[in-house]
């Protein structure tokens, strides 16, 4: 299948127009020279609709399209208090006249009298915000489960009153959201073809895995030789990989295509996320400084900084051969540079 055929398939689905596509793809000359590779950047951070774009807008085009098709009045979603996905969902809802409701886990406790980063933007856009604090003796996973339960109970109450709600999981990692990155891969392939560049590697930061599953599915449909390297930004248990294979395959089924993905289509690397989610790492800080000082571009400490740290390490350790054509997917998130200092670490001093 080629890019145009994939775009035709996606064209049959409901879609809200939120972003500005294609997002730019171009070469980073200084870092290419320093790293001894041909380094290209795909600017998903430039996706629109506001100044604070990111990879979620591409997913939200289909999610919000689906919500409107279902006649939804409210859109619920979940994440950390500094969630990029939650903030971009609020933007999308406001543009499309839907009411956003957020259930947010306080992994880093916000100062509710001095809101920062995405939480500040959520508040300015008037989202209904429910902050779930982690209780003493409760694990993060348990608190997350409680957050989802509270959200579902809220939906049940509203539906009993006759309202229609659309429920989006964390990161927009549903079948509908994942479809966005099948299109994202097709778009990238078309740009590389136009530039006459044979992509060898695509690096990106991996969280809930919707971006990864969509990219992997797009790659498989196109039969591209480019290797996708997904740098984890959080701990994932054993079942995660198989659940992402299934998410990719279910998305292909939803598009009326044979489910062709296997575990071999996913290359996840969990060597770069420690000390943990929303906790700054030495490698991430170095990667952010390097991108900022060499190219005048801003990454973030939670996602894209750690993703880029993985790329740098792969080059330095020879896992990526000199002279390779490497694409870095800038997934956004720079609002975290204005978040709590626990998230920023050494960058803020
Ligand atoms: C800036 C940024 N990069 C990468 C990701 C990871 O995307 P996904 O959740 O689809 O794995 C996210 C998700 O929240 C993000 O906000």
């Amino acid at each position: 299948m080629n890019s145009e055929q994939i775009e035709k398939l996606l064209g049959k689905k409901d879609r809200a127009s939120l972003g500005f596509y294609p997002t730019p793809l171009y070469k980073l000359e200084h870092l290419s020279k320093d790293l001894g590779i041909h380094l290209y950047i795909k600017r998903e951070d430039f996706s629109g609709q506001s100044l604070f774009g990111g990879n979620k807008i591409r997913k939200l085009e289909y999610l919000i399209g689906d919500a409107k098709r279902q006649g939804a009045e409210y859109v619920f979603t979940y994440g950390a208090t500094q969630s990029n996905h939650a903030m971009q969902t609020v933007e999308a809802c406001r543009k499309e006249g839907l009411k956003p409701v957020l259930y947010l886990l306080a992994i880093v406790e916000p100062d509710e009298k001095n809101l920062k980063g995405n939480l500040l933007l959520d508040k300015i856009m008037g989202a209904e915000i429910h902050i779930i604090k982690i209780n003493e003796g409760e694990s993060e996973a348990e608190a997350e489960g409680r957050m989802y339960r509270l959200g579902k109970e809220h939906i049940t109450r509203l539906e009993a009153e006759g309202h229609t709600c659309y429920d989006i999981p964390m990161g927009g990692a549903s079948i509908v959201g994942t479809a966005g990155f099948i299109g994202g891969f097709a778009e990238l392939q078309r740009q590389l073809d136009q530039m006459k560049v044979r992509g060898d590697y695509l690096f990106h930061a991996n969280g809930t895995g919707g971006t990864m599953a969509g990219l992997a599915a797009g790659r498989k449909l196109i039969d591209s030789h480019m290797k996708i390297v997904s740098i984890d930004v959080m701990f994932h248990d054993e079942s995660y990989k198989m659940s992402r294979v299934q998410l990719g395959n279910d998305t292909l089924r939803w598009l009326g295509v044979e489910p062709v993905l296997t575990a071999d289509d996913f290359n996840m690397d969990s060597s770069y996320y420690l000390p943990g989610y929303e906790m700054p790492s030495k490698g991430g800080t170095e990667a952010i400084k390097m991108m900022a000082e060499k190219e005048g571009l801003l990454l973030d400490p939670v996602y894209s900084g750690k993703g880029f740290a993985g790329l740098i390490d792969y080059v330095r350790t020879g896992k990526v051969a000199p002279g390779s054509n490497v694409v870095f997917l800038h997934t956004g998130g720079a609002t975290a540079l204005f978040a709590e200092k626990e998230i920023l670490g050494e960058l803020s001093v």
Side-chain angles (χ1 to χ4, degrees):
M1 211 177 256
N2 62 29
S3 305
E4 285 75 25
Q5 288 166 319
I6 292 177
E7 278 157 8
K8 215 166 172 187
L9 270 182
L10 287 164
K12 294 184 188 148
K13 298 295 180 188
D14 293 282
R15 183 172 181 176
S17 177
L18 303 172
F20 299 89
Y21 297 106
T23 54
L25 173 75
Y26 57 93
K27 192 168 181 184
L28 296 177
E29 296 293 350
H30 300 294
L31 283 175
S32 290
K33 209 183 241 174
D34 288 2
L35 293 169
I37 56 171
H38 302 284
L39 178 63
Y40 298 84
I41 192 159
K42 172 114 174 107
R43 299 286 305 273
E44 282 303 283
D45 60 319
F46 237 49
S47 58
Q49 63 176 29
S50 76
L51 196 57
F52 313 109
N55 60 333
K56 304 306 175 190
I57 298 293
R58 206 181 272 278
K59 297 181 184 184
L60 282 161
E61 290 213 331
Y62 293 95
L63 289 162
I64 297 296
D66 199 38
K68 289 182 79 176
R69 181 184 58 80
Q70 292 182 22
E73 180 185 352
Y74 290 90
V75 171
F76 278 66
T77 201
Y78 312 82
T81 43
Q82 284 300 345
S83 164
N84 298 306
H85 159 71
M87 187 278 287
Q88 287 167 46
T89 301
V90 178
E91 286 183 349
C93 284
R94 287 312 186 202
K95 176 164 186 290
E96 297 297 320
L98 301 167
K99 296 175 190 159
V101 184
L102 305 179
Y103 275 78
L104 304 175
L105 190 62
I107 296 173
V108 171
E109 270 210 34
D111 175 355
E112 292 189 38
K113 297 224 158 14
N114 183 18
L115 296 181
K116 298 201 183 273
N118 286 323
L119 193 54
L120 171 66
L121 302 179
D122 297 338
K123 177 84 186 302
I124 291 171
M125 289 185 279
E128 182 179 327
I129 302 170
H130 300 266
I131 294 181
I132 310 301
K133 294 196 174 150
I134 303 174
N135 293 327
E136 251 190 52
E138 191 182 35
S139 71
E140 209 174 290
E142 285 164 348
E144 188 179 308
R146 184 162 56 83
M147 171 181 76
Y148 269 117
R149 270 199 309 283
L150 289 168
K152 307 282 175 226
E153 283 166 17
H154 192 164
I155 290 174
T156 306
R157 281 199 304 279
L158 283 172
E159 287 182 342
E161 290 166 11
H163 300 285
T164 306
C165 302
Y166 190 80
D167 199 16
I168 301 179
M170 244 190 246
S174 68
I175 293 169
V176 177
T178 297
F181 271 94
I182 296 183
F185 191 91
E187 180 183 295
L188 170 63
Q189 188 62 56
R190 192 151 36 81
Q191 289 172 309
L192 288 169
D193 290 346
Q194 280 163 1
M195 291 163 77
K196 300 198 176 3
V197 172
R198 187 169 192 256
D200 297 314
Y201 294 93
L202 171 63
F203 279 79
H204 73 103
N206 179 45
T208 60
T211 303
M212 172 176 71
L215 291 172
R219 173 187 172 274
K220 197 80 183 244
L221 289 181
I222 287 178
D223 197 19
S224 156
H225 114 119
M226 186 154 50
K227 180 172 177 174
I228 300 172
V229 185
S230 306
I231 304 292
D232 290 331
V233 300
M234 57 183 69
F235 171 74
H236 291 132
D237 66 17
E238 280 300 301
S239 62
Y240 173 88
K241 189 171 188 175
M242 288 323 293
S243 75
R244 299 306 86 180
V245 176
Q246 184 166 348
L247 176 63
N249 278 333
D250 288 345
T251 308
L252 289 171
R253 273 191 210 97
W254 185 66
L255 291 172
V257 183
E258 220 187 304
V260 285
L261 289 171
T262 69
D264 291 343
D265 295 308
F266 292 77
N267 303 292
M268 290 156 47
D269 193 329
S270 60
S271 316
Y272 305 96
Y273 80 86
L274 286 169
Y277 180 69
E278 285 195 339
M279 294 179 185
S281 69
K282 211 165 167 287
T285 302
E286 188 209 343
I288 291 169
K289 292 281 288 172
M290 194 164 161
M291 184 68 93
E293 289 178 6
K294 295 286 177 176
E295 299 287 351
L297 283 178
L298 297 166
L299 301 174
D300 81 285
V302 185
Y303 291 97
S304 51
K306 288 184 179 175
F308 193 55
L311 184 155
I312 295 169
D313 191 54
Y314 269 58
V315 174
R316 286 182 178 160
T317 56
K319 284 188 205 157
V320 165
S324 299
N325 291 320
V326 183
V327 179
F328 179 64
L329 187 71
H330 187 338
T331 44
T335 43
L337 294 173
F338 307 99
E340 290 79 11
K341 63 177 185 309
E342 294 94 313
I343 292 177
L344 279 164
E346 283 174 29
L347 283 171
S348 71
V349 289

